[in-house]
Amino acid sequence: MYRYDEFDEQMVRDRVAQFRGQVERRLSGELDEDHFKPLRLQNGVYLQMHAYMLRIAIPYGQLSSKQMRTLADVGEKYDKGYGHFTTRQNIQFNWIALKDIPTVLEELANVEMHAIQTSGNCIRNVTTDQFAGATAEEIEDPRPWCEIIRQWSTFHPEFAHLPRKFKIAVTAAETDRAAIRVHDIGLHMKHNAAGEVGFEIIVGGGLGRTPIVGTTVKDWVAKDDILDWLEAIMRVYNLHGRRDNKYKARIKILVTELTPEVFTKQVDAEFEAQRDEEKVRLPQEEVDRISDYFKAPAFETLPATSAAYEEAKANDEGFAKWTETNLSAHKVDGYTSVTVSLKPLNVAPGDATSAQMRVLADIAKAYSFDDLRVTHIQNIVLPHIKLDELYNVYLALDDAGLGADNVDLASDLICCPGLDYCNLANARSIPVAMEIQNMFSKYDRDLGKLHINISGCINACGHHHVGNIGILGVDKKGEEFYQITFGGRADEKARIGDIQGPGLRQEEVTPALERVAQKYLEIRQNSDEKFISTLERLGAEPFKEALYADS
Amino acid sequence: MSSVRPKLKPATPKVVTAWDASNGFTTYRTPSGDWTQNVAEAEVLTHEAADEALEAAKKDQTRATDPYLMEVTEDGKVTGRETLRESIRAEGPTCHPNYGRQAEVN
């Protein structure tokens, strides 16, 4: 993975020292909250329902074991012994005292981490496919380009005060696990007709109160030109994006209002107008230098199958079942990628205790080339596990309460913190998620792959618009109601779900979803037909009838 | 201000609530002008007295962040349109009974 050079190191250290001074001035009264707020937000510090919350950047979701151990330490020393992995592949701590935050940032800087680009109207942490560098599906590893974009965007003086926050996601696989079509910019690495690798650029996707699937503005651009294209897009947005209304300030609104055609013409004109000295021409040796950090680890030459693995499956039913859901194909024979579910029953989705983080760090160090990934589904990936050693990994995970065998099933839901933690939320998400998980647990594998996403307000941190079943918490005169959408998806066939009708009271949600599940079991063609496929084949009507059958 | 809350009628009983500037905990203004994490110890006010207390709280920058008026019953219990939100602020997350003030009380 990428290692800081002396410039990165100095930049992060300086930022910590600067923020320490700002915190001291806030606590002494020299700075009032109105002046301090924009400063703290630039350092990932929010003020939530119960305490300050610190959001820490995990660039493109990748962590070393040392970094994961430091996060565990932060959780234990300065928080309540746990952290919450987010849908932006970051982590947040919900109970951090302001006075401690500079010291926390210092400890993070010791392991090349920070909280920059996790808040404010800047280009946020770049995200990518959690299986980058491990999956055979990708045409090349997207992480070097994520890192290049991170370096280009961090503290970019021209884009430090954008109309609104800006999110970029990158994938190099046809199967989109990074939800690139619902980001401000989605980059899809692909070949052109000549077989060269470049980028498809998708702009103007997003969720929130105006959910939109992005539009392809460039079918293919060369790697050499990608930063110039990004710069051209950012300039058009920075110049014309609305600053008068925060709800209309995202690039998706600009693209929609201008039309994608006009927006693209403006971007083309901006690109053409760039003078030679403005062009960001990365020397090939710099691209190579960064790419070197992401070189494949020293994989062994192994047979595609493993006798130890097969034997363990035959002898341990729990392990066998877990392998059905939590493994993904690896590009190298004899290896697999493990998704560790952070969705066991009765735990807030995405939460991990400090003890669990240490177990994950130990496993990564011992078995996965010191490599961990955070997924936007709020799970953790161990990307490179030998099949021969998989059973040991499973036993260690299971022993730590990390053996949930539900990846991609109905209980593997995305859930924002909701009203239990978030100052912006209108309704609770976590208790609803837990209740749904408990209900669906009795169906086990019967329902197959089904993505349920829950948000506690229209800001859509829980990605409800792109859940096969989406749940949005709303406040009606002080009472929580939940609006249901069907048919959303965040993958390469991205689609915004359709609202089905009036919101349900909290106590009605789980029974209603159970009726929907039963309807699916009744009308699907066979057990191979996923919920979303049945829905797309038959339309929402039968499911809607089931949803409101008790109303 | 991070918290724009519903406007309350002058006669509605209310307390001044904020976030502790140091640790971010939910806090309430007491009759002495101090701050407490226990809503039961907060000063219940109406009319101009409530507005004056809020103005005083806004000047108490080193201790309180983003103060606002919150509806309570005459005997100081959380009530009104924002009961759920304010109960969660007062007690802690409903999904984590071990955290927040509820953990200390129980």
Side-chain angles (χ1 to χ4, degrees), chain A residues 48 52 98 420-421 423 475, chain B residues 19 21-22 81 85 94 96:
Chain A
Q48 293 287 37
Y52 289 99
L98 183 60
D420 278 302
Y421 288 99
N423 216 11
D475 172 303
Chain B
W19 286 263
S22 169
R81 171 78 169 71
R85 179 179 192 278
T94 61
H96 271 153

Side-chain angles (χ1 to χ4, degrees), chain A residues 442-486:
Chain A
K442 71 182 172 209
Y443 289 88
D444 196 31
R445 307 298 164 94
D446 292 350
L447 296 171
K449 289 188 177 181
L450 169 54
H451 296 144
I452 303 176
N453 298 354
I454 308 180
S455 304
C457 79
I458 195 64
N459 292 310
C461 295
H463 297 189
H464 65 276
H465 297 296
V466 288
N468 301 160
I469 296 175
I471 303 170
L472 165 64
V474 295
D475 172 303
K476 280 190 190 172
K477 296 181 180 169
E479 198 180 342
E480 296 165 298
F481 277 79
Y482 294 86
Q483 207 173 62
I484 310 295
T485 54
F486 287 154

Side-chain angles (χ1 to χ4, degrees), chain A residues 16-17 19-28 36 40 45-47 51-54 77-79 95-107, chain B residues 20-25 62 65:
Chain A
V16 173
F19 191 55
R20 185 178 287 285
Q22 291 161 347
V23 168
E24 281 167 8
R25 286 159 63 208
R26 170 70 188 102
L27 292 174
S28 73
F36 179 64
R40 68 168 160 81
V45 182
Y46 291 72
L47 186 52
Y52 289 99
M53 178 269 276
L54 177 65
K77 279 156 67 179
Y78 304 103
D79 202 274
W95 302 89
I96 302 260
L98 183 60
K99 66 178 173 54
D100 292 332
I101 290 176
T103 305
V104 171
L105 294 177
E106 214 162 81
E107 291 181 20
Chain B
D20 183 294
S22 169
N23 54 29
F25 289 175
T62 55
T65 294

Side-chain angles (χ1 to χ4, degrees), chain A residues 26-34 37 40 47-52 80-82 95-99 348 351 417 419-428 430-431 434 475-480, chain B residues 1-5 18-26 58 60-66 68 80-96 98-104:
Chain A
R26 170 70 188 102
L27 292 174
S28 73
E30 200 182 323
L31 269 181
D32 63 21
E33 174 62 12
D34 287 346
K37 186 177 172 183
R40 68 168 160 81
L47 186 52
Q48 293 287 37
M49 288 281 275
H50 312 288
Y52 289 99
K80 293 188 183 294
Y82 76 106
W95 302 89
I96 302 260
L98 183 60
K99 66 178 173 54
D351 276 11
L419 190 60
D420 278 302
Y421 288 99
C422 178
N423 216 11
L424 299 174
N426 294 320
R428 288 172 295 166
I430 297 169
M434 287 175 169
D475 172 303
K476 280 190 190 172
K477 296 181 180 169
E479 198 180 342
E480 296 165 298
Chain B
M1 299 286 280
S2 61
S3 213
V4 179
R5 309 315 316 171
W19 286 263
D20 183 294
S22 169
N23 54 29
F25 289 175
T26 305
K58 284 179 182 170
D60 199 356
Q61 283 278 338
T62 55
R63 295 195 295 177
T65 294
D66 279 355
Y68 64 91
R81 171 78 169 71
E82 301 222 291
T83 299
L84 177 62
R85 179 179 192 278
E86 293 301 345
S87 300
I88 291 172
R89 279 190 77 235
E91 300 300 324
T94 61
C95 55
H96 271 153
N98 296 332
Y99 306 144
R101 196 179 137 69
Q102 60 195 350
E104 292 162 30

